[in-house]
Amino acid sequence: MRNEKSIWKNTDWTTVFIYVALVLMGWISIYAAVYDETFHNIFSPSQRYGKQAIFIIVGLVIAMVTMLLDGRFFQNLAPLLYILFIVLLVGVLVVGTKISGARSWYQFGSFSFQPSEFAKFATCLMLARYLGEPEINIKRFKTKFLSLALIFLPVGLILLQPDMGSALVFFSLILVLYREGFPAWTLVVGLVAVVLFVLSLVINVYILMGIIAAAVLMLIYFSKTTTKNIFTGLVILVASCGFVYTADYAFDKLEKHQKDRINVLLGKEVDLRGVGYNVNQSKIAIGSGGFFGKGFLKGTQTKFNFVPEQSTDFIFCTVGEEWGLVGCTVVLGLFLWLIARLIMMAERQRTVFGRVYGYGVACILFFHVFVNVGMAIGVLPVIGIPLPFFSYGGSSLWAFTLLLFVFVKQDASRVA
């Protein structure tokens, strides 16, 4: 009994408060996004806001149960959970339901389940479990290889669905590895890879390979011409050319609507009535909100359904139109406060497992917020990932709740 009292006493209630605030604000935004004057019951299960209310209640139960479990429960269960969701990711490719061009869902009557949302939690947990083992040394090649393998195995399976948005989220865990001791050049390589990927979309792949070859040759010429430098230059050349060719090939394999969205973002196409319609309407909605917004349920873009997927991927534009710049600042401020809080909590952990897992939670949440808001304001391509605790959907809300509260429990157990 003393231990249970200590757990509740040491719970980071600031994090819990931010979670509850975001969930409630998200519910209000969903209500505004799908509001219909003919429905007066805010808890009506026939409407999305009614279903979201049920999802929230279940989410709170998940949070409560998580806090009541032993602090090491999920740490011990990590390998089993990781294997379970890898199996589910394989299974969804065979028997999953195809929605919006991706076979990402299990459908059970009116209930649907997206395993990739929970796979983020399982991967974060497994990575923390692996790096937290006493005999693990992050500087060893084997440790680096297996750490990356744990991350990229679900990435490969999710890309086969194909669901590029969910797959990209896993790359945020590279920052966790860097915090644990991966060399700085890994981040540089990652940044160069992003630049090359973007260039491969706007420049002919063979012309880009020629530019890379010329740059590498100049680098070798102006540096010391040693066997080591020549060999390093050739490795960089082969790796870079191979990467841009692969990126070009992967782009060709995307669904047409995905390629169109990227081309619109890069300025290669202008299509305000087709694939660019969602983003254009979202920008209009956010911009029309002004400083204080139009008021609750008074947003014209929202009220007349000008923005598709407004209760899911584009929920942020509802905030912008009805609550204005002030509302957007409050929402983003809460997210930044939560992420900063998680980093602070991660740094005070007494175990490697707790620190790695905490940073993983912070990185995943940051990536989701950054990309989702970037999509809504038109500075990033529409890749279809939800705004944590805000967007409509049970799988998303439950997965983020579990992801967060496992760490809240871990932090409370730290001093229990």
Side-chain angles (χ1 to χ4, degrees):
M1 182 65 69
R2 184 182 303 171
N3 186 56
E4 289 183 7
K5 289 182 178 179
S6 180
I7 288 293
W8 293 112
K9 178 182 178 181
N10 295 312
T11 296
D12 193 276
W13 291 106
T14 300
T15 299
V16 176
F17 164 77
I18 299 172
Y19 164 81
V20 173
L22 287 171
V23 167
L24 292 178
M25 292 173 74
W27 184 38
I28 292 171
S29 297
I30 292 170
Y31 179 79
V34 298
Y35 176 69
D36 187 337
E37 295 179 356
T38 61
F39 289 89
H40 301 289
N41 183 6
I42 194 171
F43 297 104
S44 172
S46 64
Q47 299 297 304
R48 284 197 164 189
Y49 46 78
K51 292 179 182 178
Q52 188 71 7
I54 297 174
F55 296 154
I56 290 172
I57 293 171
V58 175
L60 293 174
V61 172
I62 291 173
M64 179 66 71
V65 171
T66 300
M67 293 300 296
L68 292 174
L69 291 172
D70 182 77
R72 293 181 61 86
F73 177 80
F74 284 101
Q75 183 177 353
N76 294 332
L77 205 61
L80 181 60
L81 287 174
Y82 183 78
I83 293 172
L84 171 64
F85 283 103
I86 290 297
V87 171
L88 289 174
L89 287 176
V90 173
V92 81
L93 297 173
V94 181
V95 298
T97 300
K98 198 168 188 178
I99 300 176
S100 299
R103 194 177 297 278
S104 307
W105 301 81
Y106 286 102
Q107 193 78 36
F108 305 99
S110 60
F111 175 75
S112 56
F113 169 71
Q114 188 176 13
S116 60
E117 292 294 338
F118 290 89
K120 300 167 191 174
F121 159 68
T123 302
C124 184
L125 196 67
M126 187 60 205
L127 184 65
R129 165 68 186 267
Y130 174 65
L131 294 177
E133 294 295 328
E135 69 277 7
I136 293 299
N137 185 345
I138 195 70
K139 295 182 179 180
R140 295 174 183 166
F141 174 79
K142 178 182 177 181
T143 302
K144 294 175 183 176
F145 176 80
L146 290 178
S147 298
L148 292 172
L150 287 172
I151 296 172
F152 287 113
L153 177 57
V155 168
L157 294 173
I158 293 171
L159 283 174
L160 291 175
Q161 294 178 3
D163 183 359
M164 181 177 289
S166 294
L168 288 175
V169 175
F170 288 80
F171 283 86
S172 65
L173 294 176
I174 300 295
L175 294 173
V176 180
L177 298 180
Y178 173 69
R179 166 62 184 83
E180 289 304 305
F182 262 48
W185 63 262
T186 56
L187 292 181
V188 175
V189 170
L191 179 61
V192 171
V194 171
V195 172
L196 289 178
F197 178 77
V198 173
L199 289 176
S200 70
L201 301 179
V202 297
I203 302 176
N204 179 278
V205 64
Y206 296 106
I207 294 176
L208 182 56
M209 287 182 182
I211 295 173
I212 293 171
V216 171
L217 290 175
M218 289 180 63
L219 184 64
I220 294 174
Y221 178 80
F222 287 107
S223 62
K224 294 181 179 179
T225 310
T226 63
T227 303
K228 181 180 179 180
N229 286 345
I230 293 174
F231 177 76
T232 302
L234 290 175
V235 170
I236 293 173
L237 176 61
V238 172
S240 299
C241 290
F243 176 79
V244 296
Y245 182 83
T246 303
D248 182 70
Y249 176 80
F251 180 75
D252 286 337
K253 293 299 180 181
L254 291 177
E255 297 285 332
K256 183 179 184 302
H257 69 276
Q258 293 174 321
K259 291 192 284 188
D260 290 341
R261 287 170 178 171
I262 294 174
N263 286 333
V264 168
L265 177 70
L266 295 174
K268 296 173 68 175
E269 297 178 12
V270 177
D271 186 5
L272 299 183
R273 294 184 178 275
V275 294
Y277 177 82
N278 290 21
V279 174
N280 186 55
Q281 293 299 322
S282 176
K283 290 163 65 176
I284 291 173
I286 294 173
S288 66
F291 193 77
F292 291 107
K294 297 177 180 177
F296 184 54
L297 301 181
K298 295 182 180 179
T300 52
Q301 294 291 111
T302 298
K303 188 175 182 179
F304 296 109
N305 299 317
F306 281 105
V307 185
E309 306 298 335
Q310 193 162 352
S311 62
T312 53
D313 294 347
F314 287 93
I315 190 68
F316 188 73
C317 72
T318 303
V319 178
E321 183 176 28
E322 298 198 343
W323 301 353
L325 178 62
V326 173
C328 290
T329 302
V330 170
V331 171
L332 291 178
L334 284 172
F335 275 118
L336 290 176
W337 187 13
L338 175 61
I339 292 167
R341 191 81 186 171
L342 291 173
I343 293 174
M344 181 272 290
M345 291 164 62
E347 285 295 338
R348 73 187 184 193
Q349 297 304 301
R350 296 177 178 177
T351 64
V352 175
F353 171 83
R355 183 175 66 245
V356 172
Y357 183 75
Y359 267 99
V361 176
C363 288
I364 289 173
L365 290 177
F366 174 78
F367 187 90
H368 266 270
V369 174
F370 179 78
V371 174
N372 183 277
V373 174
M375 284 169 19
I377 62 177
V379 297
L380 291 175
V382 179
I383 56 176
I385 66 173
L387 187 61
F389 314 121
F390 248 76
S391 295
Y392 168 80
S395 293
S396 170
L397 177 61
W398 299 338
F400 282 123
T401 298
L402 190 59
L403 181 75
L404 177 64
F405 276 89
V406 166
F407 183 54
V408 172
K409 171 65 177 186
Q410 180 70 29
D411 181 70
S413 301
R414 169 185 59 91
V415 289

